[in-house]
């Protein structure tokens, strides 16, 4: 499947062994749809850079365009993009992978909070130097 990403919670549990996510109208390349038409074997590679964790999930995937109830259940709240279809992923195996070579990355919010704290500490240091 082609790379997917989104706000936290975009990948949802449908049941004990099934994941799903909304597939939004986009660049009209249909890479995932075309690949799934040929071969339903798929692989999810889920990264948590902040905590240096990587989960690999193997299974079979399909796209669904005509199940309004399923599509509605996989929509993202407060996200206005039009859902074109959903991708349903049936899990066959999974494995937590070694974190050794995963670089630590921080979210924009974490960086902003750290920058605000640095500014606050610099102001405190400047005040102390004036005394």
């Amino acid at each position: 499947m082609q790379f997917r990403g989104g706000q936290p919670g975009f990948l949802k549990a449908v049941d004990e062994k099934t994941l799903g996510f909304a597939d939004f109208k986009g660049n009209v390349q249909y890479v995932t749809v075309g690949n799934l038409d040929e071969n339903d074997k798929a692989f999810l590679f889920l990264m948590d850079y902040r905590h240096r964790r990587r989960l690999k999930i193997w299974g079979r995937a399909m796209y669904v365009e005509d199940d309004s109830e399923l599509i509605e259940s996989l929509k993202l709240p407060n996200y206005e993009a039009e859902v074109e279809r959903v991708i349903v992923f049936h899990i066959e195996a999974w494995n937590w992978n070694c974190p050794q070579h995963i670089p630590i990355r921080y979210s924009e919010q974490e960086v902003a909070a750290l920058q605000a704290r640095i500014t606050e500490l610099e102001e405190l240091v400047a005040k102390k130097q004036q005394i």
Side-chain angles (χ1 to χ4, degrees):
M1 293 180 0
Q2 188 176 22
F3 169 79
R4 293 294 194 270
Q7 64 189 39
F10 84 93
L11 183 62
K12 300 177 185 247
V14 175
D15 63 37
E16 263 185 28
K17 294 192 176 195
T18 309
L19 300 172
F21 58 90
D23 191 28
F24 303 103
K25 284 195 173 198
N27 59 12
V28 196
Q29 290 184 348
Y30 302 106
V31 173
T32 297
V33 171
N35 288 338
L36 291 176
D37 275 342
E38 290 287 320
N39 184 346
D40 69 346
K41 291 180 183 177
F43 176 79
L44 298 178
F45 200 78
L46 307 177
M47 296 297 300
D48 178 353
Y49 287 105
R50 174 64 181 91
H51 298 101
R52 297 182 69 220
R53 293 187 296 211
R54 170 177 40 220
L55 178 62
K56 295 191 283 187
I57 307 173
W58 294 266
R60 298 192 179 269
M62 58 188 266
Y63 60 91
V64 177
E65 298 176 324
D66 57 357
D67 183 335
S68 58
E69 187 176 322
L70 179 62
I71 291 169
E72 190 62 34
S73 73
L74 295 174
K75 280 185 175 179
L76 297 170
N78 303 318
Y79 192 70
E80 298 301 319
E82 184 180 344
V83 177
E84 192 165 7
R85 70 187 61 79
V86 295
I87 307 296
V88 178
F89 187 90
H90 302 282
I91 300 169
E92 294 180 349
W94 59 272
N95 181 39
W96 285 102
N97 195 242
C98 171
Q100 182 178 0
H101 300 290
I102 301 173
I104 296 176
R105 295 187 180 157
Y106 297 92
S107 70
E108 289 181 37
Q109 294 85 1
E110 290 171 313
V111 171
L114 290 171
Q115 288 174 330
R117 180 66 175 144
I118 289 169
T119 300
E120 178 185 329
L121 292 171
E122 287 174 337
E123 289 170 359
L124 283 172
V125 168
K127 284 182 185 176
K128 292 223 181 242
Q129 288 176 345
Q130 291 175 358
I131 295 178

